[in-house]
Amino acid sequence: MENLTTITVIHLLGFQDIQRVKLLVFFVFSMVYCVTIGGNLLIIVVVSYSKNLHSPMFFFLTQLSVSDIILATDILPNILHAVVVKDNIISFTDCMTQFYFFDVSETADCLLLTVMCYDRYLAICRPLHYMYIMNHQFCLRMVMASWTMSASVVLIHTLTITKLNFCGPNTIDHFFCDLDPILQLSCSDITVVEIEVTMLSALLVVIPFFIIIISYVYIIFTILQIPSITGRQKAFSTCSSHLLVVSMYYGTLLCVYLVPNKKTSRNITKFLSLLYTVVTPLMNPIVYSLRNKDLQNVLKKVISGLYNVLGFI
C-alpha cells in the first residue's frame, strides 16, 4: 500500500488577477473591514447604553453584530494578507480554525435571524402575548441556545473533517478555507462527512429558512388586514430591515451552495462568497441604521455628543 503524505500547509490562491490594482483592492478591503468592525461595534455600544433601545429586537441585533464581527475578523485579515503576499500559505491547523469560526458565525446568523423573525411575528401577529413571551429570560435563553448549538455542532463537524486523510494536492482556489475546497484535498472517503453536512444543513439552515418564510406569510397576511394605510406602513416598517437582511443573507447562500460548482466558474463562486462573507456583515448595521428611526435618533444623539466633546477639546 502506498504511503500517504499528510499535508501540513495549504496554498490559498485567492485573487490572482489583481496584481495591477492590488493597492486599490487592499485599500478597499481595509476600509470595508474598518467600517464593518466600527459599524457593528457602534450598534452594540449604542444599544447597550441607551435605555430606549432595551428591547428584544435590539438585543438580538447586538448578537447579530457580534456574529458579523467574528465573521469579518475571520475572513478579511486573510484577504488583506493574500492581496499583499503573492504566495499565500496557511497551515492546515489555521485553515481548519478559520473554517470553524466561519461556520460558527454563519450558523449563528441562521439561528439568530430565525429568533428575530419570531420576535417580529409575535409583535405583529400576537401583540397581546408579546410582553409575556418575549421577556428578558426568554431572550437570553434563545441567544445562549443559538450560540451554544452553533459552537458545539460545528465543533463536532470540524473534528469529523480533521479525521480524514489529506494527502494533496495542497492548493485551494479560493480566498478562504470553505468546506468544499477543503474536502477536495482529502484522499479519504468523504461520504460520512457529506451525509453529516446534509443533515446539519437541513437542521440549522433549511428548517430555519422555512420557519422564516412561513412566519412572514403570517406577518404579511396580518399586515394586509390592518384597515389604515398608516397602520400597515408602520407595521411593515418594524420588520422591513430584518426582511432585507434575511433576503441578502439567504439569497447569496442559496446561489453559492445550491448551484453546482462544476457548472459555475470559480471566479463567480468567489464573487458570491464575497457577498455573504464580506458585504453582508458590512451592510447589516447600515440597513438597520437607515431603516430604524429609534436607532437613528440615538445615533444622532451620540454623534452630536461626540461632536460637542471634540469641539470643546
Side-chain angles (χ1 to χ4, degrees), residues 1-6 165-169 187-188:
M1 183 177 179
E2 184 180 357
N3 292 329
L4 299 178
T5 303
T6 302
N165 290 320
F166 293 90
C167 50
C187 49
S188 302

Side-chain angles (χ1 to χ4, degrees), residues 157 180 183 189-200:
H157 176 48
D180 185 62
L183 293 181
D189 183 7
I190 61 173
T191 304
V192 175
V193 176
E194 290 177 335
I195 294 174
E196 189 179 78
V197 169
T198 302
M199 294 176 61
L200 295 178

Side-chain angles (χ1 to χ4, degrees), residues 263-289:
K263 297 181 181 180
T264 308
S265 70
R266 180 54 62 181
N267 288 333
I268 294 177
T269 302
K270 290 179 183 178
F271 172 75
L272 293 174
S273 298
L274 277 175
L275 292 180
Y276 70 85
T277 58
V278 176
V279 177
T280 300
L282 170 69
M283 292 302 298
N284 283 348
I286 296 176
V287 168
Y288 277 98
S289 298

Side-chain angles (χ1 to χ4, degrees), residues 5 7 9-12 92 95-96 164-173 177-188 190:
T5 303
I7 61 176
V9 295
I10 294 175
H11 294 262
L12 288 173
F92 181 78
C95 183
M96 293 306 302
L164 299 174
N165 290 320
F166 293 90
C167 50
N170 65 339
T171 301
I172 290 180
D173 188 8
C177 294
D178 202 356
L179 176 62
D180 185 62
I182 291 175
L183 293 181
Q184 290 179 5
L185 305 182
S186 176
C187 49
S188 302
I190 61 173

Side-chain angles (χ1 to χ4, degrees), residues 23-239:
L23 291 179
L24 176 62
V25 173
F26 182 85
F27 174 77
V28 170
F29 279 121
S30 298
M31 291 301 299
V32 168
Y33 183 54
C34 292
V35 173
T36 300
I37 300 299
N40 283 288
L41 282 177
L42 184 62
I43 293 290
I44 295 172
V45 172
V46 167
V47 172
S48 299
Y49 284 93
S50 175
K51 294 182 179 180
N52 295 331
L53 300 180
H54 286 180
S55 66
M57 179 178 67
F58 290 109
F59 175 62
F60 296 139
L61 179 59
T62 61
Q63 299 305 305
L64 191 65
S65 293
V66 171
S67 179
D68 288 339
I69 290 174
I70 293 174
L71 179 59
T73 304
D74 187 47
I75 300 296
L76 276 165
N78 288 279
I79 294 180
L80 294 173
H81 182 262
V83 171
V84 175
V85 180
K86 186 176 182 180
D87 191 13
N88 187 24
I89 299 175
I90 184 173
S91 69
F92 181 78
T93 302
D94 290 342
C95 183
M96 293 306 302
T97 301
Q98 184 187 50
F99 169 74
Y100 173 76
F101 284 103
F102 157 74
D103 211 1
V104 167
S105 62
E106 292 295 305
T107 304
D109 274 357
C110 292
L111 298 178
L112 289 171
L113 288 173
T114 306
V115 174
M116 294 172 75
C117 182
Y118 181 63
D119 172 74
R120 294 298 85 202
Y121 166 78
L122 287 177
I124 295 175
C125 302
R126 299 287 187 271
L128 297 179
H129 299 84
Y130 182 80
M131 295 303 297
Y132 176 74
I133 297 176
M134 277 293 171
N135 54 54
H136 178 71
Q137 290 184 348
F138 179 82
C139 295
L140 193 59
R141 288 172 183 172
M142 288 297 99
V143 167
M144 291 180 63
S146 298
W147 283 110
T148 303
M149 187 178 297
S150 301
S152 57
V153 170
V154 173
L155 178 60
I156 295 172
H157 176 48
T158 305
L159 292 176
T160 303
I161 296 175
T162 58
K163 292 179 181 179
L164 299 174
N165 290 320
F166 293 90
C167 50
N170 65 339
T171 301
I172 290 180
D173 188 8
H174 213 330
F175 60 86
F176 76 103
C177 294
D178 202 356
L179 176 62
D180 185 62
I182 291 175
L183 293 181
Q184 290 179 5
L185 305 182
S186 176
C187 49
S188 302
D189 183 7
I190 61 173
T191 304
V192 175
V193 176
E194 290 177 335
I195 294 174
E196 189 179 78
V197 169
T198 302
M199 294 176 61
L200 295 178
S201 298
L203 177 64
L204 300 175
V205 180
V206 178
I207 292 178
F209 179 59
F210 279 109
I211 291 175
I212 291 174
I213 291 178
I214 294 172
S215 298
Y216 269 106
V217 170
Y218 281 100
I219 289 172
I220 293 173
F221 182 75
T222 302
I223 290 176
L224 292 177
Q225 290 182 321
I226 299 175
S228 66
I229 297 177
T230 304
R232 289 198 295 268
Q233 291 176 344
K234 184 177 180 180
F236 183 74
S237 65
T238 62
C239 59

